[in-house]
Every structure is written in C-alpha cells, then in structure tokens.
Amino acid sequence: MAEDCIFCQIVDGEIPARVVYEDADVLAFLDANPLAPGHTLVIPKDHHERLGDVPPESGEMMFAALHYLTPIVEDVVDADGSNVAFNNGEAAGQEVPHVHGHIIPRFDDDGGRPVHAVAGERPDLADDELDDIADSIAEGAGEE
Ligand code: 5GP
Ligand code: ZN
C-alpha cells in the first residue's frame, strides 16, 4: 500500500466508497464525481501507478473484472453503450496515481464524445513512418 494514495485507502477501508465488486486482486467502486450514472472504477488492490507497472496476473484479473462488469453496469443504468478507458499517466490526464479503468456508461444523444476526441491534433504520418512504428511495436511485442 502507498500511504498517501486515496485508492489504497479505499482498498483498506480507510476511505468509504460504494464498492460494487471485489475479489482477491481487484476492487471496483463508483466514481465519486461521476461523468454518468454508473460511472465505475476498477483497480488492482496492489498499488501500481500505470498499466505497464502492473504484473501480468494482476492485469489479467483487472481486465477480467472490466469485461465482467461492463455489461452489468450498462444494464443497471439502461445505457446504450459505454467507454471503457484508462488515463494512463499524467500526460493522458491521470490524476490518481493508482492505475484504474473507467467504465463510463453512454446514452444516445448524451452530448459526449468518443475516445477519438481525447488526444490533441491528429499527426500527419507518412506510410513509411507508420511502417516503422508498426515494426517497432511488433518487435517490442516479440513478433518476428
Ligand atoms: P483519473 O483522472 O485519475 O483517470 O480519474 C480519477 C477518478 O477518480 C476521477 O474520475 C475522480 O472523480 C475519481 N476519484 C477521485 N477521488 C476519489 C475518491 O476519493 N473516491 C472515489 N470513489 N472516486 C474518486
Ligand atoms: Zn494506491
């Protein structure tokens, strides 16, 4: 646990939260300042700041919980869809430095935007730049 982390304090029961799901590795609770009814946060119980810091098993459990909970949350609030997303790092808007996935229910004509709207201006990338990026990611991911 990180002493000054509010999400670790929620895991430890020191700060109250509307917990909606819990297992050995994962906790899910309603966002205190929801963007929509049912806005839910899913976290690994262990403190890790970013996705890349989360050990594989814990990451798998977190994604399993997101996968399991998303349709349940949508049903409960009668949503038409949802955005499931991570603000991964300060540059991406992460404010609480304990990794968390957002389940944000969406409704037809709710005036919101798609995930495409979160980044800045679209870069103008040439085909060879895209090829290089794809090759480097594939290499990093261990693909031939
Ligand atoms: P971030 O920008 O880090 O991805 O999002 C942090 C989220 O945590 C925000 O949506 C914010 O409303 C929520 N949040 C911040 N503090 C608390 C808290 O003490 N309890 C709960 N339930 N949510 C919180
Ligand atoms: Zn923490």
Side-chain angles (χ1 to χ4, degrees):
M1 152 163 195
E3 295 297 334
D4 56 352
C5 171
I6 48 176
F7 287 179
C8 283
Q9 290 170 23
I10 287 174
V11 170
D12 274 18
E14 291 165 22
I15 293 181
R18 292 186 172 86
V19 172
V20 300
Y21 175 82
E22 180 170 13
D23 63 32
D25 305 283
V26 174
L27 191 73
F29 49 91
L30 293 188
D31 194 294
N33 188 20
L35 294 167
H39 184 172
T40 298
L41 303 175
V42 178
I43 68 170
K45 285 184 171 175
D46 288 343
H47 182 84
H48 304 287
E49 189 164 338
R50 291 168 69 147
L51 274 175
D53 304 325
V54 179
E57 197 179 314
S58 184
E60 284 163 24
M61 297 309 289
M62 180 173 56
F63 280 104
L66 283 164
H67 174 253
Y68 175 64
L69 287 171
T70 295
I72 295 172
V73 171
E74 288 181 358
D75 278 355
V76 163
V77 299
D78 204 16
D80 299 306
S82 56
N83 292 109
V84 180
F86 290 77
N87 292 325
N88 194 38
E90 254 183 70
Q94 184 176 0
E95 290 175 0
V96 177
H98 181 133
V99 64
H100 50 281
H102 293 256
I103 302 172
I104 305 170
R106 296 295 303 272
F107 302 87
D108 290 340
D109 305 319
D110 63 12
R113 308 281 303 279
V115 165
H116 306 85
V118 299
E121 229 171 87
R122 280 179 198 261
D124 187 16
L125 296 167
D127 280 348
D128 58 342
E129 290 175 290
L130 291 167
D131 290 343
D132 284 351
I133 292 167
D135 288 348
S136 298
I137 294 172
E139 199 183 313
E143 297 292 315
E144 289 305 310

